[in-house]
Amino acid sequence: MSHLATIIVLTLAASAGDGQVDYQRQVKPILRARCFACHGALKQEADLRLDTGEFIRRGGADGPAVQPGNPAASRLIERVSAADPAERMPPEGAPLSADEIATLSAWIASGAATPADEKPQDDPTAHWAFQRPRKSPPLAARPNWSINPIDAFISARHLAAGIEPLGEADKATLLRRVSLDLVGLPPTRDELHAFLADSSAAAYERAVDRLLASPQYGERWGRHWMDVWRYSDWYGRRAVPDVMNSYPHVWRWRDWIVRSLNADKGYDQMIVEMLAADEAMPGDDENVVATGFLVRNWFKWNYENWMKDNVEHTAKAFLGLTLNCAHCHNHKYDPIKQEEYFRFRACFEPLELRQDRVAGLPDPGPFKKYVYAQSYGPIAAGLVRVFDEKLDAQTFMYVKGDARNRMEGKPPVAAGVPAILGELDFKVLPLDLPPRAYYPGVASAIRAEETAKAAAELAAAKELLAKSQARVAAAETLAQPQQEQLDARLSYRVDEQHVASAAARERALAARIAADDARYLGLGDAAAQAKAAWQAEKQATWEDAQLRLARAERGLNAAERKAAADTSTKPELDKAQKELADARAAADASRAALAGSGDTYTPLSPLYPAKSTGRRLALAKAIANPNNPLTARVAINHLWLRHFGRGLVETPANFGNSGRPPSHPELLDWLAVELMEQGWRMKPIHRLMVTSRVYRLRSQVGQPDQPNLAIDRDNRLYWRANTRRMEAECVRDSILACAGELDTTMGGQELDAAQGMTSRRRSLYFAIHGEAKMPLLELFDAPDVCDCYERVSSVRPQQALALANSDLPHSCSRVLAESLWRATASVSDPAGREAEFIRAAFERILSHAPNEAELQASRDYLALQTQDLAAAQPPPAPVTPPASDAAGRARETLIHALFNHNDFVTIR
């Protein structure tokens, strides 16, 4: 039986029931998923559209797509069921299943009926996200409810839906919420008490301003943006160790993120620096590390992978576009052509990595390029960054995602951005770089270090010479044996030549610096200084050869004396004789070279191109252009997502036609424009969001029959706050902070994740990469370093077990229990002291005082635990030992129980 005949049999079986197929429910979803990309509003291959029944019946260049009542004669069925892959539709992806084809056939057999008022697919270019955002005034809001414009937009939707929002959260809950949101740490007891005691109308705003001014704000929100920008420390084969992905010292980019956020640097400027700091501010080492955004995407073995990741994740992170979907063909849902994908890629084509020397640290040497046979580990020091190496780099289009299958006859494409982004004044202007940018050797810090090193070597050589001179004098004065006097004179000659050699190298260094000043800074006669530097280096080489010769002569003398006493050491003598011969040859060669002339000399660092293409700077400016319809919207959505628990757009990396529409489009646009009007600074937007009334709403619904649940169970209209579990880093950092154990040292090289249970540094600073993460963080859904535009939040039994059994909560419980018990020493009444301890524990860990039931339950628990522990031996604790008395251990277990309380890990 032929394939088509089989389909007909299936069709007859499908039609054996009532003979009807629901077009809207059964047929159109198949066409939308598999056919609209090539036969919809965006594209009409063979002049055929399939997004309405009218278009289907009208057909295309080959005639009607269906023959109502006759599936066997219908071109649609013929093409989707063709056995030949070259004829079968769709041309990409898996063929339609037999059930799908049977459904289409049954629909045609029943007459191919479609609704009379069926609308065609929307024009993809008219999609909301491709239109510039505008600040439109909100609709009528609930009287006297709004605090700021955010509330007005939200309230208008409440009124339209018939929703009555919940009241505000109590002050303690609100302070804990905003503290965890802005700095990732719970409030201290002093902060809580001060806030509760402040009855002024501005108390909450003052708390918000204090948190936004805290250095911990940059660390908290740095981790959020590191999720979006795919931060990862180096990995590949760490056990070897061999770097394959990202690169050592990319942590400097992490520190730049924290610094930039704390300084409230404009988001537009951050984009420019991450994509093109080396072009926008060449020679600025403090900000060039921002190009770690591109360094992170680097893959050792395949340049193509680097380019693909740069395109995909630049587009997703900043534009909310799945530009990667246009890699092999025109985008199936958005008006983006395959050529535009490659134009975007062309912005990155000249890229290469380099690692610059950092003052005070060892010179990392030149960057090791892509060599398949080469395996190398992490460098000990340096500043990793990108630069344009291939100034004439061309980008060619290829097919099927394989760069080897270049499109025949297709010229290279120019750098650019998708036209759907509008008029963004994309201009590629090549740049002349200052010397500091392309020749790090002119940096004053490097020169000073090299000069100091040369001076120190000369001083050390002079000190050795003085001692050697004293030994010669002593040997001659004391009439020591002839051989010992000879040894002393030979060593003196070596040390004397060492001084000459070190002095020559010091002079050569000064000459090289002078030549650099003339060549790169215009300070002097470049030709003359270059010749002088050449001469000084040749002189230093000759002096070094003389030093080598002196050492070889001394070595031969020692070997001859040794061989005379022991003939078995003759191989050592032979070796010494060869070393002397080689040293004499080197001395002769250096003498001959010294007689010549030249103008080349050794630079103090690698030299790089003195120009840059300007492609990435053009791209960065286009992305950060206020006329770009996407950039500000995407940024606002990320801010909203992390403050409110869900984005206004629930697909944060996809604002295109296949993404989810915004729940509050007018609000999203208003905030996007506000961000740009605020100079792209994020702190004013944070403040606006967290001071809104909608942010302050309580989260507890109360009764299960709450009327709002019937209208909006998922809370898309924000009539209450969303309850959220802390992110992984927040859980660990909060345990440490509550115990007073958190080390607030900022910045520096990544720490080994294995130290996570013993080190007190903030979680941000521990290594995170594709091979290893801290187990505690992993249990609480640490970010996927490959793709984490939105964190997942799972509920697993291992999470409770980790808090119950890990060393860190146990250790911190003991420290905090002892600290709180000491703090209550002034309370003389034992019962009163116990109650004060319980209150302090609740306020420190859960940010609220215990109610009467909680207080009594805690008292009862302490009494029972004290009784049970009186006869038990304290458990072993290698880090923090438990209290020696049962009552103390009972208090520790109460603290530990509070760390395991759901309210501790929950943001309400």
Side-chain angles (χ1 to χ4, degrees):
M1 183 181 292
S2 70
H3 186 66
L4 183 57
T6 301
I7 296 299
I8 299 301
V9 170
L10 291 171
T11 301
L12 294 174
S15 304
D18 58 11
Q20 295 298 316
V21 176
D22 188 320
Y23 170 76
Q24 293 283 29
R25 188 174 61 84
Q26 295 174 270
V27 175
K28 196 159 188 176
I30 298 173
L31 300 175
R32 181 182 295 109
R34 305 307 308 276
C35 306
F36 283 9
C38 295
H39 302 286
L42 187 61
K43 184 179 179 183
Q44 300 87 43
E45 289 283 355
D47 296 327
L48 175 63
R49 284 187 71 164
L50 299 175
D51 52 329
T52 70
E54 181 182 350
F55 286 139
I56 294 170
R57 288 185 288 273
R58 183 189 305 167
D62 296 329
V66 301
Q67 295 289 342
N70 190 355
S74 297
R75 286 281 292 167
L76 176 63
I77 301 302
E78 177 186 343
R79 296 302 298 274
V80 299
S81 60
D84 184 355
E87 292 291 321
R88 188 173 57 233
M89 292 289 143
E92 295 180 357
L96 266 61
S97 69
D99 286 345
E100 289 173 324
I101 298 174
T103 297
L104 295 177
S105 299
W107 168 65
I108 296 171
S110 66
T114 57
D117 58 351
E118 185 182 16
K119 302 291 189 220
Q121 183 187 16
D122 291 337
D123 179 2
T125 63
H127 183 59
W128 66 270
F130 302 143
Q131 318 309 313
R132 285 184 61 187
R134 304 188 185 280
K135 255 190 175 181
S136 56
L139 301 174
R142 193 180 306 277
N144 304 318
W145 192 81
S146 299
I147 294 176
N148 66 35
I150 290 175
D151 300 320
F153 283 102
I154 297 293
S155 181
R157 295 288 298 276
H158 289 169
L159 286 174
I163 280 178
E164 181 72 32
L166 300 186
E168 283 197 12
D170 63 83
K171 290 186 71 174
T173 298
L174 187 56
L175 181 65
R176 179 179 177 83
R177 180 190 300 171
V178 75
S179 294
L180 291 170
D181 269 5
L182 292 180
V183 299
L185 303 171
T188 66
R189 286 191 77 203
D190 288 344
E191 290 167 348
L192 177 63
H193 289 169
F195 181 61
L196 295 177
D198 189 347
S199 59
S200 67
Y204 178 66
E205 284 74 11
R206 279 197 293 270
V208 169
D209 292 338
R210 171 180 59 79
L211 293 166
L212 286 172
S214 167
Q216 280 71 54
Y217 156 78
E219 293 177 316
R220 168 63 161 163
W221 279 84
R223 182 61 264 179
H224 286 319
W225 286 112
M226 285 160 64
D227 285 5
V228 177
W229 298 330
R230 296 197 332 136
Y231 177 87
S232 172
D233 295 297
W234 68 272
Y235 65 103
R237 296 182 300 170
R238 276 234 173 191
V240 174
D242 185 18
V243 181
M244 291 187 183
N245 300 269
S246 187
Y247 208 72
H249 297 274
V250 74
W251 59 265
R252 298 183 191 278
W253 170 42
R254 174 248 289 154
D255 286 356
W256 172 88
I257 294 171
V258 173
R259 288 197 309 271
S260 298
L261 293 174
N262 278 331
D264 207 15
K265 184 180 290 185
Y267 180 71
D268 58 339
Q269 182 62 23
M270 292 182 73
I271 293 173
V272 168
E273 291 177 18
M274 282 190 282
L275 294 176
D278 58 306
E279 295 186 323
M281 44 190 67
D284 181 351
D285 284 352
E286 182 177 351
N287 290 302
V288 77
V289 295
T291 60
F293 174 81
L294 301 172
V295 173
R296 179 269 170 271
N297 296 329
W298 179 81
F299 177 57
K300 173 179 176 179
W301 295 136
N302 194 322
Y303 189 84
E304 291 297 316
N305 279 23
W306 190 19
M307 293 297 101
K308 291 174 188 176
D309 280 351
N310 282 338
V311 172
E312 176 179 355
H313 296 291
T314 298
K316 284 182 175 178
F318 302 125
L319 299 171
L321 282 181
T322 55
L323 193 58
N324 53 302
C325 294
H327 181 207
C328 302
H329 46 68
N330 291 347
H331 202 291
K332 289 191 174 185
Y333 304 105
D334 297 327
I336 300 171
K337 297 178 180 179
Q338 185 184 15
E339 181 174 337
E340 292 178 314
Y341 171 93
F342 284 96
R343 294 190 67 199
F344 201 91
R345 168 183 165 145
C347 297
F348 302 109
E349 203 73 54
L351 271 183
E352 189 52 270
L353 291 192
R354 72 187 228 201
Q355 50 196 33
D356 289 356
R357 179 173 169 181
V358 175
L361 296 176
D363 186 349
F367 169 69
K368 298 178 175 68
K369 289 201 174 186
Y370 309 84
V371 180
Y372 282 88
Q374 185 181 53
S375 176
Y376 57 91
I379 57 176
L383 182 157
V384 62
R385 48 164 291 190
V386 302
F387 73 106
D388 275 5
E389 181 184 57
K390 304 173 283 292
L391 303 184
D392 58 350
Q394 294 179 320
T395 299
F396 292 91
M397 295 180 65
Y398 50 78
V399 297
K400 296 184 179 180
D402 189 338
R404 296 169 297 183
N405 296 333
R406 188 177 291 181
M407 290 186 181
E408 295 295 332
K410 187 78 172 178
V413 299
V417 294
I420 195 62
L421 298 180
E423 295 296 327
L424 301 179
D425 194 29
F426 184 92
K427 293 179 182 176
V428 175
L429 302 174
L431 305 162
D432 291 320
L433 301 175
R436 177 67 183 80
Y438 64 84
Y439 178 41
V442 301
S444 58
I446 291 178
R447 290 176 165 192
E449 282 190 356
E450 290 299 310
T451 301
K453 190 189 305 179
E457 182 184 358
L458 179 57
K462 288 180 176 179
E463 185 177 347
L464 288 173
L465 178 61
K467 293 178 181 178
S468 186
Q469 190 172 19
R471 284 195 298 273
V472 170
E476 293 175 349
T477 302
L478 298 175
Q480 291 178 344
Q482 191 73 23
Q483 186 60 53
E484 291 186 13
Q485 291 187 38
L486 177 61
D487 288 346
R489 286 194 295 273
L490 287 174
S491 290
Y492 175 78
R493 185 189 169 197
V494 168
D495 292 337
E496 184 181 41
Q497 185 57 45
H498 188 185
V499 170
S501 179
R505 285 198 296 273
E506 186 180 49
R507 291 191 297 272
L509 175 63
R512 289 157 59 200
I513 291 174
D516 280 349
D517 282 344
R519 174 174 292 182
Y520 300 109
L521 306 180
L523 304 176
D525 185 333
Q529 294 288 4
K531 290 179 180 179
W534 181 91
Q535 186 70 36
E537 277 206 299
K538 295 303 180 187
Q539 181 68 38
T541 300
W542 184 80
E543 297 288 359
D544 284 344
Q546 292 300 108
L547 176 60
R548 179 182 173 186
L549 183 60
R551 285 171 172 163
E553 288 173 343
R554 182 178 64 180
L556 179 61
N557 174 65
E560 286 174 339
R561 194 168 58 185
K562 194 172 180 182
D566 182 0
T567 57
S568 67
T569 63
K570 187 176 184 305
E572 293 182 29
L573 177 61
D574 295 341
K575 180 180 178 182
Q577 290 172 338
K578 184 178 186 308
E579 287 177 353
L580 179 60
D582 291 345
R584 284 173 176 161
D588 291 342
S590 65
R591 184 183 297 107
L594 189 59
S597 63
D599 59 3
T600 60
Y601 59 92
T602 306
L604 271 69
S605 74
L607 275 162
Y608 301 100
K611 294 179 180 291
S612 195
T613 65
R615 298 186 197 179
R616 284 177 289 111
L617 184 57
L619 173 64
K621 288 182 175 180
I623 291 174
N625 191 314
N627 292 328
N628 191 314
L630 287 165
T631 308
R633 281 186 175 121
V634 171
I636 285 296
N637 196 57
H638 281 299
L639 296 177
W640 187 276
L641 164 63
R642 286 155 180 84
H643 278 309
F644 291 90
R646 70 194 313 167
L648 293 169
V649 178
E650 293 194 88
T651 48
N654 183 5
F655 274 45
N657 283 274
S658 60
R660 297 287 294 276
S663 60
H664 296 72
E666 297 84 5
L667 172 58
L668 178 62
D669 280 10
W670 192 95
L671 287 169
V673 175
E674 180 70 11
L675 173 66
M676 292 185 282
E677 289 179 350
Q678 291 286 347
W680 296 82
R681 293 182 304 119
M682 287 187 271
K683 284 189 179 182
I685 304 301
H686 285 298
R687 194 179 194 282
L688 194 67
M689 288 182 179
V690 301
T691 57
S692 66
R693 187 177 296 278
V694 66
Y695 179 84
R696 304 189 203 191
L697 297 177
R698 73 172 188 265
S699 59
Q700 294 90 341
V701 175
Q703 66 274 26
D705 59 346
Q706 219 284 346
N708 292 344
L709 292 173
I711 303 171
D712 180 24
R713 178 169 290 276
D714 292 335
N715 193 34
R716 287 305 284 131
L717 299 181
Y718 300 100
W719 50 270
R720 58 177 174 83
N722 286 311
T723 299
R724 294 167 281 146
R725 203 211 55 225
M726 290 178 180
E727 289 92 350
E729 299 85 355
C730 197
V731 173
R732 178 182 173 277
D733 295 348
S734 294
I735 292 173
L736 290 167
C738 287
E741 290 280 278
L742 184 65
D743 181 351
T744 56
T745 302
M746 297 181 69
Q749 190 153 358
E750 77 273 12
L751 304 171
D752 187 345
Q755 300 174 12
M757 291 295 102
T758 54
S759 172
R760 272 33 184 168
R761 289 292 301 279
R762 195 155 185 178
S763 301
L764 178 77
Y765 299 112
F766 288 88
I768 183 167
H769 51 83
E771 293 174 76
K773 299 171 187 174
M774 193 189 304
L776 179 65
L777 301 187
E778 185 72 359
L779 280 174
F780 283 93
D781 307 311
D784 179 345
V785 295
C786 292
D787 193 322
C788 191
Y789 294 101
E790 182 175 7
R791 289 272 183 111
V792 299
S793 185
S794 66
V795 178
R796 292 182 279 175
Q798 291 91 338
Q799 293 166 348
L801 292 171
L803 291 180
N805 299 324
S806 295
D807 287 341
L808 185 69
H810 276 290
S811 176
C812 288
S813 296
R814 291 163 182 156
V815 170
L816 181 55
E818 182 184 1
S819 172
L820 294 181
W821 190 244
R822 283 200 315 267
T824 62
S826 60
V827 182
S828 56
D829 173 44
R833 186 180 185 185
E834 181 179 76
E836 179 58 25
F837 172 84
I838 294 169
R839 277 192 289 271
F842 269 74
E843 289 175 348
R844 189 70 192 96
I845 299 172
L846 305 182
S847 305
H848 67 78
N851 59 34
E852 287 302 319
E854 290 170 329
L855 181 59
Q856 188 57 50
S858 298
R859 283 180 178 278
D860 294 342
Y861 175 84
L862 287 174
L864 288 170
Q865 280 291 95
T866 302
Q867 180 180 337
D868 290 345
L869 292 171
Q873 289 295 321
V879 179
T880 306
S884 58
D885 61 304
R889 297 208 301 278
R891 289 190 292 273
E892 293 169 355
T893 60
L894 175 63
I895 296 292
H896 191 219
L898 293 180
F899 277 135
N900 282 265
H901 198 295
N902 188 51
D903 280 356
F904 173 69
V905 297
T906 303
I907 303 176
R908 296 200 181 278

